[in-house]
Amino acid sequence: MVEIAAVRKQYGGTDVLKDVSLTVHEGEVTCIIGPSGAGKSTLLRCINRLEKLDGGAIYVDGRMVGYEVRGSRLQELKERAVAPQRAHIGMVFQRFNLFPHRTVLENIIEAPVLVKRVGKATAIAEARALLERVGLAHKEDAYPNQLSGGQQQRVAIARALAMKPSLMLFDEPTSALDPELVGEVLTVMKDLAESGMTMIVVTHEMGFAREVADTVVFMADGRIVECGSPGQMFAEPQHQRTADFLHRVL
């Protein structure tokens, strides 16, 4: 589903991603852990083409993201050509990014109606089904400022799912929540994982990574230090850098 090949990214001459390579298979959950500044969020933004690469390539579902090969040359796609690729990649951010002037239902149906040209009645029916799935069927007429942080994040997940993505990216989706609200968001994410959704999750929730991930990736200093199954990574990390990090956070 996702092939990341020798990706490099710089900000102001500073290397943020250094030859990062990773493969994620369809239906797998990959959790990326590591200290702040490791490049985890930048990697997600590169997958969704919210950041341009300085080297390497990313493929999602067999298609190179942001570029196409013309003859023997690599041609960068214009934004209008990138948008259809991005429509197949759902992303949930740390902050919920809901439209404050729109109701929950309106937030969810906007992209399907405007981007995918789904009929409004169909979009509403599908949005209500998604709200039922995330436990918020009774909140369709509420505005974001009337919801808790956990509820807003669940709406954000439903909004991403409304585009029927083949891949879901989660950028520390619980980091902005009060501790007592974290569980309700993780429950929705576990349900997604059990349904077979391909997911890449940047997270500090080690319990979630241990329980749900197929693969855990540890990043530090812009590189993937190691990756493996949760059992191997948490019980027998192969690198001292990984062991030191896990000793601090577990």
Side-chain angles (χ1 to χ4, degrees):
M1 177 61 73
V2 182
E3 185 70 32
I4 300 168
V7 163
R8 293 184 290 106
K9 177 65 183 176
Q10 291 185 330
Y11 291 126
T14 301
D15 292 323
V16 180
L17 296 175
K18 307 169 185 176
D19 293 318
V20 173
S21 296
L22 180 68
T23 298
V24 178
H25 297 286
E26 184 175 358
E28 286 187 347
V29 177
T30 297
C31 285
I32 304 177
I33 63 174
S36 297
K40 308 183 299 295
S41 295
T42 299
L43 181 60
L44 283 197
R45 293 176 65 85
C46 288
I47 295 171
N48 207 21
R49 194 58 179 174
L50 296 175
E51 301 283 355
K52 294 184 179 182
L53 307 182
D54 292 311
I58 296 176
Y59 299 84
V60 175
D61 210 10
R63 295 187 61 189
M64 187 184 298
V65 176
Y67 297 87
E68 66 178 0
V69 178
R70 293 182 181 173
S72 60
R73 300 185 63 184
L74 203 60
Q75 181 72 39
E76 184 176 350
L77 296 176
K78 296 185 182 299
E79 180 61 26
R80 66 175 177 270
V82 173
Q85 294 183 338
R86 194 178 288 136
H88 296 285
I89 306 172
M91 187 159 183
V92 178
F93 300 87
Q94 297 177 31
R95 297 291 175 178
F96 325 119
N97 295 341
L98 300 176
F99 297 117
H101 60 292
R102 299 192 184 280
T103 66
V104 164
L105 190 66
E106 289 168 344
N107 264 279
I108 296 173
I109 70 171
E110 178 150 333
V113 171
L114 295 182
V115 178
K116 298 186 77 172
R117 305 299 181 187
V118 175
K120 189 171 182 179
T122 299
I124 288 174
E126 292 177 349
R128 284 174 171 157
L130 287 169
L131 285 173
E132 183 75 36
R133 183 175 183 179
V134 300
L136 292 173
H138 60 298
K139 293 291 187 179
E140 69 172 60
D141 294 322
Y143 287 88
N145 65 2
Q146 297 172 316
L147 304 177
S148 70
Q151 290 172 332
Q152 289 187 62
Q153 193 63 292
R154 284 187 280 158
V155 173
I157 294 172
R159 182 179 61 179
L161 291 174
M163 293 294 284
K164 300 181 179 177
S166 56
L167 169 68
M168 284 286 288
L169 309 176
F170 293 86
D171 186 9
E172 298 186 17
T174 60
S175 65
L177 301 179
D178 292 332
E180 66 269 21
L181 302 177
V182 168
E184 62 190 56
V185 174
L186 294 181
T187 296
V188 172
M189 293 172 63
K190 289 175 185 177
D191 174 69
L192 273 182
E194 290 170 359
S195 73
M197 174 64 73
T198 309
M199 298 163 57
I200 303 177
V201 184
V202 171
T203 184
H204 293 299
E205 301 293 337
M206 298 300 145
F208 176 85
R210 191 194 299 265
E211 180 182 350
V212 178
D214 296 289
T215 302
V216 177
V217 176
F218 174 68
M219 289 186 68
D221 304 317
R223 300 183 187 276
I224 292 179
V225 177
E226 68 174 302
C227 60
S229 68
Q232 180 260 304
M233 289 289 287
F234 287 106
E236 298 179 346
Q238 301 301 299
H239 291 261
Q240 189 60 45
R241 184 73 178 83
T242 312
D244 291 343
F245 173 78
L246 291 173
H247 179 72
R248 289 196 300 270
V249 300
L250 292 177

